[in-house]
Amino acid sequence: MKGFYRSKYVTPSGEERYAAVTQFEATDARRAFPCWDEPAVKATYDVTLVCPKDRVALSNMPVKSEVPLSDEPAWKVVEYDRTPIMSTYLVAFVVGEYDYVEERDEDGVLIRVYTPLGKKEQGLFALKVSVKTLPFYKRYFNIAYPLVKMDLIAIADFAMGAMENWGLVTYRETALLVDPTNSSATSKQYVAMVVGHELAHQWFGNLVTMEWWTHLWLNEGFASWIEYLCVDECFPEYDIWTQFMVMDYARALELDALQSSHPIEVPVGHPAEVEEIFDTISYCKGASVIRMLHDFIGDDAFRAGLHTYLTAFSYKNTFTEDLWHHLEKASGKPVTAVMSGWTGRMGFPCVKVTSHQEGNCRVLTLEQSKFSADGAKSASDSPWKVPVSILRRDGKVERFLLEERTATHRLEGVGASDWLKLNAGTVGFYRVQYSTEMLDQLMEGIRLGEMSARDRFNVENDVFALAKAGIGSTVDTLRVMLAFADEVDTTVWNDIAVNWGEVRSLLLESDYCDHVKKFGRKLFEPLLPRVGWDAQAGESHLKSLLRSLVVRMLGRHEHEEVVAECKCRFEKHLNQDHIAADLRAPIYSTVLSVGDEKTLEAMLELHKAADLQEEKTRIERALGAVKDEVLIRRVLEFSLGGTVRNQDIVFLIGGVSGTLAGRRLTWEFVKEKWDDLVTMYESGSLLCRLIKLSTEGFVTEERAREVEEFFAAHPLPSTERTIQQSCENIRLRAAWLAREGDELKKFFTEHA
């Protein structure tokens, strides 16, 4: 799925055919035409396509002319307008059979969403988002969209989520199409996010491009930040900035705490190295530090700096320092000095805070040091310049820049019993370690509902990360989770579910698994009557997301009522009384986890009958819930049987590793089929994802060595960093279990 390649699709009549499509980023334009395939070597392009006359033929620019091919009446020659000056990786062309929906935005730009034949209604949601998004970015950057048209097209076989080709953005079907009846709220939100991300690139990446792949984060980090700004503008009911906490911020903190992480800006010398940095650091940490910078200098200065930056470098290439210069000039703040430490070195600080009372004044003592996932202290690291914000119980926020390793800060008018929270709104990219007294006060504030969901998330997430690193107690963290019994926010519960899932996974091989399951049921059971089973008229988007989460978690922990209801609804679903789209994924995985061969057969029939790729993907990702070893092996073989699209195979295989037997069998399967998988994918992000999914669940040094030895014997340059990170995570889990296993056993046995 690189260069100029074939994409297989099925017509409404059931016939298999092929489209011709492109994917050139990062270094695959050279597969299609001779070129200097580097981002700084920009040129204009005159594209001409010769193709069957009954096929849709698209490129970056509008059609200039279309005439029959001489002596070949069944073929045509399509010539397109000359492109603006741009990088090779942004050139695109597609030939195939498509329907489309169209609309002009408020500035007259023609926007079309191309869909598979007979499915044009599934493009309407993305069209609605696009019509709002292009004018939003024009206003935010104060620069008009440079082209006269914008095409968005769903590609059947597509490795990435989407690709920002100028004027012709390509997407996986699941990242662009929304079925009015059968698409879930999660899928709809995902489409809005991806459309927002790719359209942001039309300015930040296409109009102005990084000089070299070292500065990739300028493209991806920025687009990953501003997609949230865009979606918040279009769909405020999503509360998307709170969801940012789980989807980007927490993921970046977790990866960047590893010794095998890398700086946002990482030297790149070979094409294989480019593919490895399309990762959580470039996207999620990049977005997180942009968000911190935006807060540090303010929105007005940020927008002014972006405008002058984009204007000065239109149709040119830049370095990170160019952006800092313009933002610094617009804001009058030391942007370069502050931000160089966040992009030029890996990792982030943990700020340890203690306090004492002096009359009506609280005095804080702060000490920063590099946070490491293994809890190790490093005295050699120079301090970061940390934009610190302190939220008071009265709602006021105090701000200052922590530049030294230690500092004190006085807050007037704070009582001895008042809580104080560092990192107001969870904007700063750092962790906080509170004294016991300060944490107790914060937990009381959480119980009383005195702080925002983002701040509640931050307290819980930091406490858990510190415990994993051996700086705190996991048992104490579990007690903190129970203290969130009255929590109402979907994102906070999502983070609790993720963190609890890590504990549960750690203990899969223990002899007290039943006690662990009981605790999981206790944690999530109070939420069930709050969300119910069926959506109510006018209920919020976030409640739909929470209902899905609750059913999934209780089903996973074998809650009797939930398992019974899932079975009942699944049987009705098989008889055409369909499950609501939002509940299909958790119900599918629940019935498979307790089901037999008949259940698996029924699910595979649903997969075969599904006409919506979202539904096929939903089923594929649920199949890994089966627990019987015979069924697990059958699911793994199904993944490579020709039915599952290549871009989805990785997630099906990885999904099998969530059970104890599945963890072992998945790794055996990946080793056995490794040569076939490398032939299929060659290199890139999908293989990296497969390595991560199939290995990181292990909890012993022996398994870490086994993983290292296998890949030493089967080297692949584009996966080296992922292998290092996976093995580091295995060893961290082993150390965590050795350190706290006895206490956890005692806690779960007594608690249950």
Side-chain angles (χ1 to χ4, degrees), residues 328-446:
E328 189 166 293
K329 189 174 180 180
S331 66
K333 292 189 175 183
V335 172
T336 302
V338 170
M339 296 305 295
S340 59
W342 296 97
T343 59
R345 58 194 279 206
M346 75 180 199
F348 57 89
C350 177
V351 178
K352 184 177 181 179
V353 57
T354 59
S355 71
H356 68 271
Q357 197 73 20
E358 294 183 1
N360 200 34
C361 175
R362 185 77 64 83
V363 181
L364 301 185
T365 300
L366 298 91
E367 178 184 0
Q368 64 158 304
S369 60
K370 183 180 185 297
F371 180 80
S372 295
D374 60 3
K377 293 286 186 181
S378 174
S380 60
D381 285 304
S382 58
W384 281 263
K385 296 183 188 300
V386 185
V388 171
S389 55
I390 304 171
L391 175 65
R392 300 160 49 125
R393 190 174 190 173
D394 60 13
K396 296 177 182 177
V397 177
E398 298 193 18
R399 302 174 187 272
F400 67 97
L401 191 64
L402 176 62
E403 300 185 71
E404 304 299 328
R405 192 172 298 280
T406 61
T408 58
H409 187 79
R410 299 175 64 88
L411 295 99
E412 302 291 340
V414 177
S417 63
D418 290 343
W419 55 261
L420 293 169
K421 183 193 174 290
L422 267 68
N423 202 3
T426 319
V427 173
F429 194 73
Y430 57 92
R431 294 210 180 274
V432 182
Q433 180 185 354
Y434 295 97
S435 66
T436 301
E437 181 183 10
M438 291 186 73
L439 183 58
D440 288 344
Q441 289 175 335
L442 280 170
M443 293 310 302
E444 181 64 18
I446 288 172

Side-chain angles (χ1 to χ4, degrees), residues 11-122:
T11 67
S13 64
E15 182 184 350
E16 286 189 356
R17 293 181 183 171
Y18 289 90
V21 304
T22 59
Q23 170 58 37
F24 291 158
E25 192 179 28
T27 58
D28 292 312
R30 65 191 71 179
R31 293 173 182 249
F33 55 88
C35 57
W36 294 104
D37 202 7
E38 300 180 5
V41 187
K42 291 191 170 187
T44 59
Y45 296 88
D46 298 326
V47 176
T48 301
L49 297 177
V50 180
C51 61
K53 70 176 185 180
D54 61 347
R55 295 296 192 265
V56 172
L58 303 172
S59 189
N60 304 83
M61 301 300 290
V63 173
K64 181 178 179 181
S65 67
E66 182 176 317
V67 296
L69 179 63
S70 301
D71 302 323
E72 292 286 349
W75 289 69
K76 62 184 177 181
V77 179
V78 186
E79 187 178 354
Y80 300 87
D81 288 339
R82 177 170 293 178
T83 70
I85 187 168
M86 66 185 196
S87 302
T88 50
Y89 76 89
L90 296 170
V91 178
F93 26 93
V94 176
V95 178
E97 296 177 286
Y98 298 95
D99 283 337
Y100 67 85
V101 289
E102 68 176 14
E103 188 174 339
R104 292 189 183 272
D105 73 5
E106 63 186 46
D107 300 305
V109 177
L110 179 62
I111 302 172
R112 285 180 174 173
V113 176
Y114 286 84
T115 74
L117 292 175
K119 297 182 178 181
K120 64 168 60 180
E121 76 284 351
Q122 294 179 18

Side-chain angles (χ1 to χ4, degrees), residues 330-631:
S331 66
K333 292 189 175 183
V335 172
T336 302
V338 170
M339 296 305 295
S340 59
W342 296 97
T343 59
R345 58 194 279 206
M346 75 180 199
F348 57 89
C350 177
V351 178
K352 184 177 181 179
V353 57
T354 59
S355 71
H356 68 271
Q357 197 73 20
E358 294 183 1
N360 200 34
C361 175
R362 185 77 64 83
V363 181
L364 301 185
T365 300
L366 298 91
E367 178 184 0
Q368 64 158 304
S369 60
K370 183 180 185 297
F371 180 80
S372 295
D374 60 3
K377 293 286 186 181
S378 174
S380 60
D381 285 304
S382 58
W384 281 263
K385 296 183 188 300
V386 185
V388 171
S389 55
I390 304 171
L391 175 65
R392 300 160 49 125
R393 190 174 190 173
D394 60 13
K396 296 177 182 177
V397 177
E398 298 193 18
R399 302 174 187 272
F400 67 97
L401 191 64
L402 176 62
E403 300 185 71
E404 304 299 328
R405 192 172 298 280
T406 61
T408 58
H409 187 79
R410 299 175 64 88
L411 295 99
E412 302 291 340
V414 177
S417 63
D418 290 343
W419 55 261
L420 293 169
K421 183 193 174 290
L422 267 68
N423 202 3
T426 319
V427 173
F429 194 73
Y430 57 92
R431 294 210 180 274
V432 182
Q433 180 185 354
Y434 295 97
S435 66
T436 301
E437 181 183 10
M438 291 186 73
L439 183 58
D440 288 344
Q441 289 175 335
L442 280 170
M443 293 310 302
E444 181 64 18
I446 288 172
R447 278 188 286 268
L448 295 173
E450 294 178 340
M451 63 187 76
S452 72
R454 295 173 204 177
D455 287 311
R456 299 194 302 271
F457 155 88
N458 188 207
V459 173
E460 188 272 336
N461 191 265
D462 278 351
V463 167
F464 183 77
L466 290 163
K468 273 183 67 180
I471 300 170
S473 160
T474 303
V475 168
D476 288 345
T477 302
L478 295 172
R479 293 193 176 102
V480 167
M481 289 181 182
L482 289 174
F484 278 80
D486 296 325
E487 179 59 57
V488 296
D489 186 80
T490 300
T491 299
V492 176
W493 274 113
N494 207 330
D495 190 60
I496 291 171
V498 169
N499 294 338
W500 164 247
E502 287 200 51
V503 177
R504 176 180 170 275
S505 174
L506 183 75
L507 302 175
L508 271 183
E509 297 181 34
S510 71
D511 58 2
Y512 50 96
C513 263
D514 287 343
H515 296 320
V516 175
K517 288 178 186 174
K518 287 178 184 176
F519 183 88
R521 292 195 289 270
K522 178 175 182 177
L523 191 59
F524 292 96
E525 191 174 42
L527 292 169
L528 188 59
R530 294 188 215 165
V531 296
W533 280 91
D534 299 302
Q536 304 300 307
E539 79 171 22
S540 72
H541 170 81
L542 293 171
K543 188 173 182 180
S544 297
L545 299 186
L546 183 58
R547 178 181 298 109
S548 177
L549 173 69
V550 171
V551 173
R552 172 166 59 88
M553 295 306 292
L554 288 174
R556 183 173 294 171
H557 291 84
E558 299 175 10
H559 185 280
E560 288 186 9
E561 176 191 334
V562 168
V563 170
E565 184 66 18
C566 286
K567 285 181 174 180
C568 178
R569 289 179 181 241
F570 184 67
E571 286 300 320
K572 291 180 179 178
H573 184 70
L574 296 178
N575 291 300
Q576 305 304 309
D577 184 2
H578 293 307
I579 300 167
D582 290 326
L583 284 181
R584 287 185 196 175
I587 288 178
Y588 290 169
S589 60
T590 298
V591 297
L592 281 165
S593 71
V594 297
D596 54 16
E597 185 177 8
K598 181 182 176 183
T599 312
L600 179 59
E601 287 287 355
M603 199 66 72
L604 293 176
E605 283 299 314
L606 288 176
H607 182 274
K608 183 178 179 180
D611 185 46
L612 179 68
Q613 187 59 34
E614 177 189 330
E615 177 72 357
K616 285 187 180 292
T617 302
R618 187 156 45 215
I619 294 168
E620 289 160 6
R621 297 194 181 193
L623 292 175
V626 295
K627 293 177 181 175
D628 179 83
E629 291 200 12
V630 172
L631 299 184

Side-chain angles (χ1 to χ4, degrees), residues 606-665:
L606 288 176
H607 182 274
K608 183 178 179 180
D611 185 46
L612 179 68
Q613 187 59 34
E614 177 189 330
E615 177 72 357
K616 285 187 180 292
T617 302
R618 187 156 45 215
I619 294 168
E620 289 160 6
R621 297 194 181 193
L623 292 175
V626 295
K627 293 177 181 175
D628 179 83
E629 291 200 12
V630 172
L631 299 184
I632 291 171
R633 287 190 173 91
R634 185 172 171 196
V635 168
L636 289 168
E637 291 297 335
F638 172 77
S639 71
L640 294 179
T643 302
V644 181
R645 292 196 177 276
N646 286 1
Q647 69 259 26
D648 298 319
I649 289 171
V650 163
F651 301 99
L652 196 163
I653 295 173
V656 178
S657 66
T659 63
L660 184 56
R663 181 184 291 174
R664 170 175 52 82
L665 294 173

